């Protein structure tokens, strides 16, 4: 009887999480149907590919943000760290003339090091995540401008680099199926993130820390060390987003990045991850990122002014957070 009683919260959580994902997926389908009816230009192959391509960068950023938010933390630095990773990739490839694969690893490591510093300041120095990542946001922004000399770093001498995002391996395998590599990389990253979060010890401690950090510490888990690792994993995803962005633009733009963190966090919350920590899925984050892109693209096709698009997206985020509050009250 006791065992059955202990299973109830877990079953209730799984039911709520499943319901949240179902509602998010239903909202995505509704938006696609609505915009398809509202405009004949929406449901075209080229436009769908455009939506997927625009989802790739924000989606990868949101994957990393999911790990952090599940711990009950927040990372405001993902936008500018993404830019710094792109700039460092440009330094390795364009300025130093190193091979593309070295530049890619350099970009990933830049994100991981920034995550390491954020995780250290949060877990070892006791600085709240909001403040620590706000400081990292400013540091990364400043470094990106200093290293690049406030000018864009172009990859014009490396055609291979541009193909990382805009090439299409699928089109080579299946002629006519012209899906950009960035989209494929996004979904592969989502699969890796889902496995990490749901099938590994990193994921189990991630949820444990987010559910009850003190209880996790008292059970003998080195919470500080795992938090640093989690922020490093988030940094790797951020570095990957920077590479995809630089490849797509064929340049590293040091002034970009501000505001991307809010879109990534919004995608995570819309996908059902709780801002209070302990709950969340990668599948939900992917759906949340797609909802953001479909909504923005659909409003643009309907010629809704940019300022009103921002207002609508703001309302959607507000509804998602309120739904999270209602879910926690019932849990």
């Amino acid at each position: 009887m006791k065992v059955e009683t202990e299973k109830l919260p877990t079953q209730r959580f799984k039911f709520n999480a499943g319901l949240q994902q179902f509602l998010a997926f239903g909202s995505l389908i509704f938006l696609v149907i609505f915009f398809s009816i509202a405009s004949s230009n929406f449901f075209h192959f080229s436009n769908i590919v455009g939506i997927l391509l625009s989802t790739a960068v924000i989606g990868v950023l949101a994957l990393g943000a999911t790990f952090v938010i599940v711990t009950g933390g927040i990372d405001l630095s993902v936008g500018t760290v993404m830019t710094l990773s792109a700039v460092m990739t440009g330094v390795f490839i364009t300025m130093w003339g190193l091979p593309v694969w070295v530049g890619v690893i350099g970009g990933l490591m830049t994100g991981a090091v920034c995550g390491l510093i954020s995780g250290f300041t949060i877990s070892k120095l006791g600085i709240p995540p909001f403040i620590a990542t706000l400081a990292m946001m400013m540091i990364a922004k400043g470094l990106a401008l200093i290293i690049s000399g406030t000018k864009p770093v172009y990859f014009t001498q490396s055609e291979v680099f541009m193909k990382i995002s805009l090439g299409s391996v699928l089109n080579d395998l299946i002629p006519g199926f012209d899906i950009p590599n960035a989209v494929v990389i996004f979904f592969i990253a989502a699969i890796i993130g889902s496995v990490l979060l749901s099938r590994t010890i990193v994921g189990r401690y991630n949820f444990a820390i987010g559910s009850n950090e003190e209880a996790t510490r008292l059970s003998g888990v080195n919470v500080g060390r795992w938090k640093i690792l989690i922020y490093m994993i988030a940094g790797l995803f951020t570095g990957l987003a920077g590479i995809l962005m630089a490849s797509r633009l064929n340049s590293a733009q040091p002034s970009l990045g501000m505001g991307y963190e809010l879109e990534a966090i919004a995608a995570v919350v819309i996908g059902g991850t709780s801002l209070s920590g302990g709950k969340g899925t990668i599948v939900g984050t992917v759906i949340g990122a797609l909802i953001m892109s479909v909504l923005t693209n659909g409003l643009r096709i309907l010629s809704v002014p940019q300022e009103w698009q921002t207002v609508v997206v703001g309302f959607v985020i507000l509804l998602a957070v309120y739904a999270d509050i209602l879910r926690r009250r019932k849990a």
Side-chain angles (χ1 to χ4, degrees):
M1 187 66 182
K2 183 180 178 182
V3 174
E4 291 179 356
T5 305
E6 289 175 346
K7 284 182 178 178
L8 284 177
T10 303
Q11 291 172 349
R12 188 181 300 164
F13 163 66
K14 288 182 178 178
F15 174 77
N16 286 338
L19 179 63
Q20 184 78 10
Q21 279 184 25
F22 177 77
L23 290 175
F25 185 69
S27 301
L28 176 62
I29 297 299
F30 170 78
L31 286 174
V32 170
I33 293 173
F34 173 78
F35 286 122
S36 299
I37 294 172
S39 172
S40 58
N41 296 323
F42 181 81
F43 203 73
H44 282 186
F45 181 76
S46 59
N47 191 50
I48 297 300
V49 170
I51 290 173
L52 292 173
L53 184 59
S54 64
T55 306
V57 171
I58 291 298
V60 173
L61 279 180
L63 295 177
T66 304
F67 281 84
V68 172
I69 293 175
V70 167
T71 67
I74 198 80
D75 191 348
L76 299 178
S77 68
V78 293
T80 54
V81 170
M82 175 189 74
T83 301
L84 178 60
S85 299
V87 168
M88 288 307 298
T89 304
V91 168
F92 285 120
I93 297 175
T94 302
M95 294 184 180
W96 294 353
L98 296 173
V100 170
W101 65 270
V102 176
V104 169
I105 293 175
L108 292 173
M109 289 301 103
T110 301
V113 169
C114 291
L116 170 67
I117 296 171
S118 293
F120 180 83
T121 54
I122 291 166
S123 61
K124 299 299 182 183
L125 304 184
I127 299 175
F130 184 89
I131 303 299
T133 57
L134 181 65
M136 177 53 69
M137 179 176 76
M138 303 305 293
I139 292 169
K141 180 183 178 183
L143 286 176
L145 290 169
I146 292 168
I147 294 171
S148 66
T150 70
K151 296 177 181 177
V153 181
Y154 293 99
F155 298 88
T156 50
Q157 297 179 350
S158 178
E159 294 182 4
V160 174
F161 184 75
M162 190 174 67
K163 291 182 179 177
I164 291 176
S165 278
L166 299 181
S168 179
V169 172
L170 288 179
N171 190 50
D172 295 337
L173 297 173
I174 310 171
F177 200 60
D178 192 13
I179 303 293
N181 291 335
V183 177
V184 178
I185 293 171
F186 167 48
F187 283 109
I188 291 174
I191 292 170
I192 293 172
S194 181
V195 171
L196 274 176
L197 195 60
S198 61
R199 302 290 181 188
T200 67
I201 191 170
V202 176
R204 286 198 292 275
Y205 283 147
N206 203 333
F207 282 107
I209 292 169
S211 298
N212 193 327
E213 183 173 333
E214 189 57 27
T216 306
R217 182 179 289 107
L218 291 174
S219 65
V221 176
N222 190 332
V223 171
R225 188 176 66 184
W226 285 103
K227 267 191 173 181
I228 292 173
L229 179 61
I230 289 165
Y231 274 86
M232 284 181 67
I233 291 171
L236 280 171
F237 281 107
T238 305
L240 177 60
I243 293 165
L244 293 178
M245 173 65 86
S247 173
R248 182 181 170 188
L249 299 176
N250 204 25
S251 64
Q253 302 285 339
S255 57
L256 280 181
M258 296 292 285
Y260 279 75
E261 65 280 350
L262 299 181
E263 291 190 40
I265 292 170
V268 176
V269 174
I270 290 171
T273 296
S274 175
L275 282 171
S276 60
K279 300 171 185 175
T281 62
I282 292 296
V283 173
T285 296
V286 172
I287 294 172
L290 288 170
I291 287 175
M292 292 280 290
S293 295
V294 167
L295 190 59
T296 304
N297 181 275
L299 292 173
R300 191 177 299 140
I301 284 182
L302 294 180
S303 301
V304 175
Q306 177 70 38
E307 54 271 28
W308 281 106
Q309 293 179 29
T310 308
V311 171
V312 172
V313 172
F315 270 112
V316 171
I317 295 170
L318 201 62
L319 285 173
V321 174
Y322 184 62
D324 176 48
I325 292 172
L326 291 179
R327 186 179 55 169
R328 277 186 281 141
R329 283 177 183 170
K330 293 178 180 178

